[in-house]
Amino acid sequence: MADPTPASPAAPEPKPAESRRQLGNLKMVWDHASRYPRQIATALSALIVTSAATIAIPYGFKKVIDRGFGPGADGSVTTSFHYLLMIVVVLAFATAIRFYYVSWLGERVVADIRAAVQRHLLTLAPRFFEENRPSEISSRLTSDTTLIEQVVGTTVSVALRNSFTGVGGMIYLFALSPKLAGMLMLGIPIIILPIMLLGRRVRNFSRTSQDRVADVGSIASETLGAMKIVQAFGQESREAARFGAAVDATFTAAKRRIALRAFMTAIVIGLIFGSITLVLWEGAVDVAAGRISGGSIAAFVLTGGLVAGAFGALTEVYGDLLRGAGAAGRLAELLAEVPEIRAPANPVALPEPSRGAIEFANVTFRYPTRPEVSALADFSLAVAPGETVAVVGPSGAGKTTLFQLIQRFYDPDSGRVLLDGVALPDADPAEIRKRIAMVPQETVIFGASARDNLRYGRWEAGDDELWAAAEVANAAEFLRKLPQGLDTFMGEGGARLSGGQRQRMAIARAVLRDAPILLLDEATSALDAESERLVQEALERLMQDRTTIVIAHRLATVRAAERIIVMSDGRIVESGTHGGLIGQNGLYARLASLQFSEAA
């Protein structure tokens, strides 16, 4: 395993237009949130009420002071306190409603985004996952969506509440004392400037921090998934050091972001409260001169504090919005990825009933990640309905590529692949794959019950059909011995099963699929003799009356084939029966002497 990619240097500071584009990534979040207008309206209404109630509190204190303690006190202080208590009750209930609906929106939007991204990922071709690490993509679905939940469920609410409170507070300040409020307004441009300048750098550091978090998730997933290999080779200390280096890089990136945000907050808060102090100094002079009441200056102080807190909080909110926008941008990149393999606008219907005829016509293909090497070169092969063809050849000859193209995971660079006379790009990929059952060399067992793993072949199958398929696959005996039968959890990657049992589960899936075309990719490799016998018996039953292509090194499977093709460097170099190819004393004979001498 390679060492983690070193932390990338911070990107150059974006221009204001770039920052606006970055925040524009939040449009994707809004598109999902706007599906819930009732909840948005309720949350917004509650938010306005809480802001209004917050601003009303200083007014209540003004009344208390002027009526109870000022020169014109009229003894109605009790009524003023009743007014204050009423404001507090309204504020409490409105805050609870706002919190519930804003939090609900945050969780709902994140759930919708995660589902939308996952649905889209399932449509992408294998090439995308060869060029992008699945573990890094998983990190986007977890850590990035958590940031978006914070933006929707907290940051936007805080931003709006503080904006309303700040604007409403400024209006009330002008009502209390236009002169003092005007002096306070002069300091606002000085406060906004650091937000604009430092906020750009916060955005860069936030994106770098998220990338480092994704590295940590990728390394953890890779190491935990290969724990047996790590321990078998005694690499625990190296992997711990590798993970530690990634964690340190994450912490270093976070420190830069935190330090910058702390610096920005210190400057802005200092400017805000410094401005308020100077303004209040002037206010104290006015109170002494009798130009303003004690209650008014108290209300001005309280409202000024609320306004200062509101604008001060916006500095932190802006940084959170940039982080959320970065996360939304990373998810939007996934949603914007266009599937390379998709159905045409007017797909050609495949013939019914399916015959299972397969043809490769002058196919040349290079894997996108290895464009310098031809996996297939001017390759032609016709497989008749119901025929069993074995494909052999050295590693890298192009055998597995045939299966990739038949299932249309890729399209050839030139030439055509046809199913029942229809070129695959002209048909719907889903319809093509419905006609194919696959038994891979490395069986995939999901962390689910035995029932759900079997039903992957045909999800609507009932228990009777599952047991019938298990009988055909020689899997029924060990399935019945499981603690909870078909309801038994298989463990991560089928950890509760042996290699032979996993292969027989894969064969049972293929039986349930009941497709006219069967692809077997070295399905009996790496098995002990008893497991191989059971799997081979199951395969022989499965192959009956189906077009079958077998990639195999085991002699028993090759001998059973009606035709054997021998591949080398993406081409067919020999073709015939087992006996005929042995007699030619060519590549097949050499492979047979090396690989099958013991069985022979």
Side-chain angles (χ1 to χ4, degrees):
M1 288 172 283
D3 290 330
T5 304
S8 57
E13 288 189 15
K15 298 176 182 178
E18 293 180 36
S19 291
R20 287 195 294 272
R21 282 197 296 271
Q22 178 75 4
L23 287 174
N25 290 328
L26 292 174
K27 181 181 181 300
M28 182 268 289
V29 180
W30 168 249
D31 289 341
H32 284 84
S34 61
R35 300 172 187 173
Y36 306 99
R38 183 174 63 84
Q39 288 80 2
I40 291 176
T42 303
L44 190 60
S45 299
L47 190 148
I48 293 172
V49 171
T50 56
S51 293
T54 301
I55 297 170
I57 288 176
Y59 176 76
F61 276 105
K62 176 181 181 300
K63 292 297 183 183
V64 168
I65 293 172
D66 286 345
R67 292 179 178 178
F69 309 101
D74 57 7
S76 59
V77 68
T78 301
T79 302
S80 299
F81 273 111
H82 288 166
Y83 169 77
L84 266 178
L85 287 173
M86 182 185 69
I87 293 174
V88 170
V89 171
V90 170
L91 179 62
F93 277 102
T95 299
I97 293 171
R98 176 191 62 81
F99 175 80
Y100 174 81
Y101 279 99
V102 167
S103 299
W104 186 95
L105 275 169
E107 295 290 347
R108 182 68 266 172
V109 167
V110 163
D112 290 350
I113 290 175
R114 282 175 175 158
V117 172
Q118 176 71 354
R119 280 196 304 270
H120 187 69
L121 289 172
L122 292 173
T123 69
L124 300 181
R127 171 179 179 171
F128 178 80
F129 301 99
E130 292 173 4
E131 298 174 349
N132 298 272
R133 292 180 299 174
S135 55
E136 194 272 339
I137 295 171
S138 298
S139 174
R140 297 192 192 191
L141 286 171
T142 51
S143 61
D144 284 359
T145 49
T146 299
L147 278 176
I148 291 175
E149 191 277 331
Q150 179 184 342
V151 167
V152 178
T154 303
T155 306
V156 171
S157 172
V158 169
L160 290 174
R161 186 186 68 211
N162 285 294
S163 297
F164 291 153
T165 301
V167 172
M170 287 301 303
I171 293 172
Y172 184 48
L173 289 175
F174 273 102
L176 288 170
S177 174
K179 183 185 77 169
L180 296 180
M183 293 175 62
L184 196 62
M185 284 289 291
L186 291 176
I188 289 181
I190 302 174
I191 297 168
I192 297 298
L193 188 62
I195 298 177
M196 295 177 61
L197 295 177
L198 297 176
R200 300 175 194 170
R201 292 188 64 83
V202 170
R203 174 258 183 191
N204 292 330
F205 288 153
S206 296
R207 177 67 186 243
T208 301
S209 181
Q210 281 304 107
D211 289 342
R212 301 290 75 78
V213 170
D215 288 342
V216 169
S218 297
I219 293 172
S221 176
E222 181 182 48
T223 304
L224 294 177
M227 186 57 69
K228 292 179 180 178
I229 296 297
V230 171
Q231 294 179 349
F233 285 91
Q235 294 295 321
E236 294 93 336
S237 59
R238 177 186 177 276
E239 290 301 333
R242 190 165 77 106
F243 184 79
V247 170
D248 288 343
T250 302
F251 179 63
T252 300
K255 278 198 303 183
R256 289 198 297 266
R257 172 178 54 80
I258 293 169
L260 184 59
R261 286 190 61 181
F263 177 66
M264 181 172 69
T265 301
I267 289 178
V268 173
I269 293 298
L271 290 172
I272 288 173
F273 285 99
S275 301
I276 290 175
T277 301
L278 293 175
V279 169
L280 289 181
W281 189 352
E282 181 67 20
V285 173
D286 287 346
V287 171
R291 291 189 292 269
I292 187 172
S293 69
S296 294
I297 194 63
F300 195 95
V301 170
L302 288 174
T303 306
L306 291 174
V307 171
F311 285 115
L314 287 177
T315 64
E316 296 185 16
V317 164
Y318 186 65
D320 289 338
L321 282 174
L322 286 173
R323 292 186 71 200
R330 284 157 58 91
L331 291 167
E333 289 172 5
L334 296 178
L335 288 170
E337 192 70 30
V338 178
E340 293 182 7
I341 305 297
R342 57 187 183 273
N346 298 298
V348 175
L350 295 172
E352 291 288 353
S354 174
R355 297 183 300 115
I358 300 170
E359 182 180 357
F360 290 81
N362 306 111
V363 170
T364 296
F365 174 72
R366 293 177 175 84
Y367 283 99
T369 53
R370 302 190 302 275
E372 71 283 356
V373 179
S374 291
L376 294 178
D378 196 26
F379 181 90
S380 295
L381 173 68
V383 182
E387 184 181 12
T388 297
V389 174
V391 183
V392 300
S395 178
K399 306 185 295 297
T400 301
T401 302
L402 301 180
F403 287 6
Q404 305 273 16
L405 295 179
I406 290 171
Q407 296 174 93
R408 208 192 164 204
F409 292 148
Y410 301 91
D411 285 331
D413 299 324
S414 63
R416 299 194 304 165
V417 183
L418 301 98
L419 174 59
D420 287 339
V422 177
L424 298 191
D426 297 335
D428 185 340
E431 293 302 315
I432 294 168
R433 293 163 191 165
K434 281 181 181 178
R435 302 187 175 209
I436 299 171
M438 173 77 171
V439 180
Q441 178 181 4
E442 298 293 336
T443 303
V444 174
I445 301 294
F446 296 93
S449 66
R451 174 182 285 103
D452 286 351
N453 271 283
L454 291 172
R455 291 168 65 207
Y456 229 74
R458 183 161 50 87
W459 197 256
E460 66 276 12
D463 279 8
D464 290 343
E465 294 172 291
L466 295 181
W467 284 115
E471 290 286 355
V472 174
N474 281 337
E477 182 179 355
F478 76 81
L479 288 173
R480 288 194 175 94
K481 292 179 180 178
L482 293 174
Q484 289 86 40
L486 293 180
D487 293 318
T488 303
F489 180 69
M490 294 289 92
E492 191 74 23
R496 303 185 68 166
L497 302 177
S498 68
Q501 289 171 337
R502 287 195 290 269
Q503 286 286 33
R504 282 177 274 164
M505 289 277 285
I507 294 169
R509 281 181 192 162
V511 172
L512 281 171
R513 188 73 163 173
D514 194 23
I517 296 172
L518 176 63
L519 305 179
L520 304 177
D521 188 358
E522 302 192 29
T524 60
S525 64
L527 298 181
D528 59 73
E530 178 61 18
S531 295
E532 181 185 357
R533 182 185 64 81
L534 293 171
V535 169
Q536 190 61 46
E537 289 176 358
L539 288 175
E540 289 171 1
R541 288 193 287 267
L542 179 59
M543 291 162 61
Q544 292 177 4
D545 302 320
R546 287 181 171 85
T547 302
T548 305
I549 301 179
V550 185
I551 296 175
H553 286 212
R554 298 299 181 106
L555 186 60
T557 305
V558 172
R559 280 178 168 166
E562 298 166 46
R563 181 162 47 124
I564 301 169
I565 65 167
V566 185
M567 295 185 64
S568 180
D569 296 326
R571 302 174 186 271
I572 297 177
V573 294
E574 295 174 4
S575 177
T577 63
H578 172 73
L581 292 172
I582 290 291
Q584 292 179 21
N585 200 29
L587 177 59
Y588 179 81
R590 292 197 300 275
L591 291 173
S593 66
L594 291 173
Q595 299 176 27
F596 311 135
S597 57
E598 183 177 343

